Every structure is written in C-alpha cells, then in structure tokens.
Amino acid sequence: MRTKIWKVDNIVDNNKIYPQIVDAAALLRDGELIAFPTETVYGLGANALNGQAVANIYQAKGRPSDNPLIVHIGHKEQLNGLVEEIPDVAHTLISRFWPGPLTLIFKKKEGVFPDTVTAALATVAIRMPDHPLALQLIRESGCPVAAPSANLSGKPSPTTAQHVYEDLNGRIAGIVDGGATGVGLESTVLDITGDVPLILRPGGVTIEQLQEIIGHVEVDKGLLKEKEAPKAPGMKYKHYAPQAPLTLVDGSPSFLQSLVDEKRAEGLRVGIYTVSEHKHLYEADIILEGGTLKDLRTIAENMYGVLREFDHEGPDVIFGEAYPHEGIGEAIMNRLLKAASGRIIKED
C-alpha cells in the first residue's frame, strides 16, 4: 500500500474547503485509515461505524483487540446519537473543555458502534479535538472517527507527521500533515458513568482543573494493573517505550550521574533524559533535554519526540529524571512509568 501525504497549514480558514481534506475525508468515510493531527498527538482514524475499518486499526498498529478506542466527533450535537444519556456533569464538562484534550466515557447507545470500537464494553469513550484540521476532517467525512495514536503499538506516540510515517508507511492510506502538535500528551480520560467521576488516564486536562469545575474527582487505582480488561486506552499495556530500556530516577543529579557512571564502566552507551536546567550537570554518551522545570507543559510537549530521538541515537540504556506528580506532572509520570515498564530508582 502506498501511503499518501497531504500537507496542510495547521492554521486553516474554517470557512474554506481544502481539497486535501476533502480527499482524505472521502477515503476515511469509505473505510480507509487516515492519520491526522490533533492538539494532543497524531491520531489514526477510521470510520467508527465501519467494523472492518476499525479492525484494520488494530492490524496496522499491532494493537491488542481488548484495548478500546476513543471516538472523535466534529460537533457537540453528534453526541446525542451515540450515547444512551448525557448526564448533567457531562454538560458542565463539555461547556468548559470541549473542544479540548478531555475524553468522556458514556454508556453507549446500543446498535451504533461495532464491538471493535468499544472492545465489547457497555461504554464508549468520546472527545471533540481542539485542532482545526481534525475538526475539518471529521466534519467533512460525515462520520464519527475512531482514532488511537498513530504509531506502532508500544512505541512513543507521534507528535509530527514524520513520526507517523516512520511507523506506519505502507500500512495506512494517508497522513494529513499539519505540522507539530501542541499539548504533546494524549487526552485525559474521565469515566462519568458512576456516582463519582473517575480519571482512567491522566492527560492534557489536569485533576486540579476538573475539580475546580465539578468538585470531587477520583483517580482509578488500577491504572497499572495488568489483569483486568482496560476500560480506557492506555491503561493496561506497555506504551510509549524507546528501543533502549528506560529507568526513571527520583533523586539528585549527582545520584543519577552515579548510576550512569556504573553503566559506562560496564562498557555501555548511556543516555540521559533531562531538563534544560540540569543538562550541564551531567556527563554521558547522549544527553537530551526535553523542556524546563519552570513549565512542565514544555516537558509534555517534547516528551515523545525526545524518546524517539533516543532511538536514532542508539544508547544501550537510558536514565530519565522523575517529575512532581502535581498538575500536568501526573500525566507526564504516567507516560514515563509506562515507557520504563515501571522501573524507577529512588535515592535514599
């Protein structure tokens, strides 16, 4: 399969119909897989009402079939025909955070989605992305779009069209290239089907922001459990991992450097994943910075790109700094711990 690339300025005139988007949307509507930018990461889209198209997502990514997908919509009004009910808390959240990086889990309307979308669960995850190209593509296609991240399963999520091309060239029909994404981390997934809203995946909307709007919010205690079927994307399986094993270090730069020195003494090429404030403190074979401690959102924006850059540099092992769990730091650490398969060393 030849993967087509449509390059479109990510600052588009929503009153103008772009021929690239029309072309991509027609393929999407007809059951082909199309990658496209959102404000979080690039998504791999399929017509969410077409069971075979959705099944092809799992095949292209090598994704486990019990891992449910997020459905993306282009208008808030689309929600009415897709879910059983829209509770009051959903209206409050939608008015504040849609379009945006917040996925809500609803009780699905029976007979709408194939089981390949929901992994045969009674619920469905839905969001409205805050990216002009994503919205144009979905609206032009005329269908809800199931879209996980557009990468091979387990690898770092893509934040540029080049990342998508590296993973999926020849596996999908096309890529809408709208430049780099913004938030850099996937959406927050919030289950609103129970008595208390429950965060199943931290992301671009923080728990503090949610609590400010709707009060008490809980965080699912089973985010790292492997035994249960996942209720939302990103809960169960190893994700976001570079090729070399990553270990997080919760401690001082001098402690991290001591770990690096041990591995280098064994003849290994060692990489360090750090921030701009600490880069000058380290000595290693490869040192990559991913943002600043003054604004953790810069870490989020750059994280997947840095992890992919390590693949190009080819270290034997990588040590990465840990971050505070407050605010966007919760989502950053969620992704890094998955990328590290839970490996973290804490200084005494």
Side-chain angles (χ1 to χ4, degrees), residues 137-219:
L137 180 68
I138 296 166
R139 291 166 182 170
E140 184 67 27
S141 75
C143 58
V145 175
S149 56
N151 57 294
L152 290 174
S153 188
K155 291 192 67 176
S157 298
T159 54
T160 69
Q162 180 61 34
H163 295 161
V164 181
Y165 187 83
E166 290 171 0
D167 280 12
L168 299 179
N169 179 35
R171 293 171 174 256
I172 64 176
I175 304 168
V176 176
D177 182 355
T181 60
V183 177
L185 291 180
E186 296 84 354
S187 61
T188 300
V189 177
L190 185 69
D191 187 347
I192 55 172
T193 62
D195 294 333
V196 179
L198 186 68
I199 293 178
L200 301 183
R201 182 181 72 183
V205 175
T206 68
I207 186 172
E208 292 86 354
Q209 289 175 302
L210 293 171
Q211 289 173 332
E212 183 180 343
I213 300 299
I214 60 172
H216 183 56
V217 175
E218 294 184 355
V219 178

Side-chain angles (χ1 to χ4, degrees), residues 244-309:
L246 168 67
T247 300
L248 299 182
V249 180
D250 186 358
S252 64
S254 60
F255 177 67
L256 191 155
Q257 183 66 55
S258 69
L259 299 174
V260 171
D261 293 342
E262 290 177 8
K263 293 299 181 182
R264 296 183 81 191
E266 296 172 11
L268 298 178
R269 276 173 52 83
V270 181
I272 295 179
Y273 179 15
T274 183
V275 292
S276 57
E277 291 92 337
H278 294 167
K279 186 175 182 179
H280 69 285
L281 300 176
Y282 294 119
E283 182 179 344
D285 300 285
I286 304 151
I287 303 174
L288 298 180
E289 65 175 86
T292 172
L293 290 174
K294 297 175 183 176
D295 183 1
L296 290 187
R297 290 193 175 272
T298 62
I299 308 295
E301 291 169 10
N302 297 316
M303 185 175 70
Y304 292 138
V306 172
L307 293 177
R308 283 178 174 267
E309 190 173 347

Side-chain angles (χ1 to χ4, degrees), residues 12-18 21 25 131-141:
V12 299
D13 179 355
N14 282 314
N15 295 314
K16 179 180 177 182
I17 302 299
Y18 289 80
I21 298 298
H131 193 291
L133 294 183
L135 292 174
Q136 275 209 3
L137 180 68
I138 296 166
R139 291 166 182 170
E140 184 67 27
S141 75

Side-chain angles (χ1 to χ4, degrees), residues 39 70-83 85-87 89-106 113 124-131 135 139 187-190 192 205 210 213:
E39 81 281 21
I70 292 174
V71 174
H72 295 64
I73 60 176
H75 298 281
K76 296 176 184 179
E77 293 72 23
Q78 276 184 280
L79 192 59
N80 296 310
L82 304 178
V83 302
E85 61 176 344
I86 306 175
V89 67
H91 287 293
T92 301
L93 291 165
I94 288 168
S95 66
R96 172 63 178 82
F97 295 112
W98 280 17
L102 177 66
T103 295
L104 299 177
I105 292 186
F106 299 88
F113 296 109
V124 62
I126 299 179
R127 90 177 186 98
M128 183 178 176
D130 188 16
H131 193 291
L135 292 174
R139 291 166 182 170
S187 61
T188 300
V189 177
L190 185 69
I192 55 172
V205 175
L210 293 171
I213 300 299

